[in-house]
Amino acid sequence: FETSEDWGGPFIATDLPRKVMIEFENPAYLQLSVRVKPEADLNFAETLMNEADRLYQVGNVYILDVQPFSDLREAIEMEDMNEVRTQLCILGFLLLNIFLGVTGTFWFRTQQRKSEIALHKAHGATNQMVFTRLLSEGWLLLLIVTPIALLIDFNLAHAELNSWRNGTTLEWDRLLFCGGISFALIALMIAIGIGIPARKAMKIDPAEALHNE
């Protein structure tokens, strides 16, 4: 959050004077900010409004309402909080779809390679060797496409098609940070999509797997 410019108007550090109501040319919609001592803050708004008609009314000009700054701050921050919640919901939805897509693709492909896994084991490969080979293949594909993705992201930022931050859309630290997070998440998805079906396939007897093929 940052300091809001909608702070209300001039501060009055002392008791609220009656003359302030008539010093402005058009006081009909005047907003005043009143600062009080901490011990006077208890029920200040209620006390002020109870005495407003008697002490702080000048002709047909009167105090309409008193709002604590905490309420004003909450109202101003509410828009930002709603925006954050909306972005988090969109982020969660996209992550779920990407997770299902990436993990499902590697899961399906690994299940189709049961005969290959059995063949490796029949030639003396250990489960760890087979698992490392499959996982390395998936991560190698990710390493190949990552520079291409970063290049696309760079062009999108250069064309100002992403969000502004610190007066610009292209920040190298943000670009690399987001790229690193995306790389780690997709690497995890690949590990899940390959690891679980691969371990299940390695439990099958090689002779049975080759016979079924």
Side-chain angles (χ1 to χ4, degrees):
F1 298 108
E2 60 185 13
T3 302
S4 173
E5 297 179 355
D6 303 327
W7 53 276
F11 271 101
I12 302 173
T14 59
D15 295 335
L16 184 66
R18 296 178 75 249
K19 66 177 182 178
V20 76
M21 304 293 291
I22 58 177
E23 284 183 349
F24 295 87
E25 295 181 1
N26 183 17
Y29 301 101
L30 175 64
Q31 294 185 10
L32 298 175
S33 299
V34 182
R35 178 180 293 150
V36 298
K37 296 179 179 179
E39 58 270 16
D41 193 27
L42 183 62
N43 298 326
F44 172 78
E46 293 79 1
T47 303
L48 179 63
M49 290 305 298
N50 290 335
E51 299 178 353
D53 295 340
R54 182 172 59 87
L55 299 178
Y56 305 119
Q57 181 175 356
V58 179
N60 62 345
V61 179
Y62 57 92
I63 297 176
L64 178 63
D65 190 20
V66 178
Q67 289 183 309
F69 262 76
S70 57
D71 293 349
L72 296 176
R73 179 183 60 203
E74 183 178 353
I76 293 174
E77 293 176 353
M78 184 63 65
E79 182 178 356
D80 293 335
M81 291 300 299
N82 290 336
E83 179 67 21
V84 170
R85 293 189 183 98
T86 301
Q87 292 180 358
L88 288 177
C89 290
I90 296 174
L91 176 63
F93 176 77
L94 292 176
L95 279 177
L96 178 61
N97 281 270
I98 294 172
F99 174 81
L100 294 176
V102 174
T103 303
T105 299
F106 282 92
W107 191 302
F108 177 78
R109 178 57 184 159
T110 303
Q111 284 184 325
Q112 300 302 310
R113 300 174 67 180
K114 290 181 180 179
S115 60
E116 180 183 340
I117 294 174
L119 187 61
H120 282 300
K121 293 186 66 177
H123 283 79
T126 64
N127 289 344
Q128 185 63 36
M129 293 172 59
V130 175
F131 183 79
T132 302
R133 177 187 177 89
L134 295 175
L135 202 58
S136 299
E137 290 178 359
W139 285 344
L140 179 61
L141 291 175
L142 178 60
L143 286 173
I144 293 174
V145 301
T146 294
I148 302 174
L150 288 175
L151 181 61
I152 296 174
D153 195 10
F154 169 80
N155 283 277
L156 291 175
H158 188 266
E160 300 183 353
L161 296 178
N162 61 340
S163 60
W164 282 79
R165 182 172 175 266
N166 296 328
T168 181
T169 58
L170 179 57
E171 290 181 309
W172 283 106
D173 57 343
R174 177 166 54 144
L175 178 66
L176 296 177
F177 178 74
C178 294
I181 291 179
S182 300
F183 182 89
L185 288 174
I186 297 178
L188 177 61
M189 297 175 190
I190 293 176
I192 296 174
I194 293 178
I196 296 177
R199 291 196 177 278
K200 289 182 178 180
M202 285 184 290
K203 294 179 181 179
I204 302 175
D205 184 79
E208 180 182 350
L210 292 173
H211 175 72
N212 292 334
E213 291 296 328

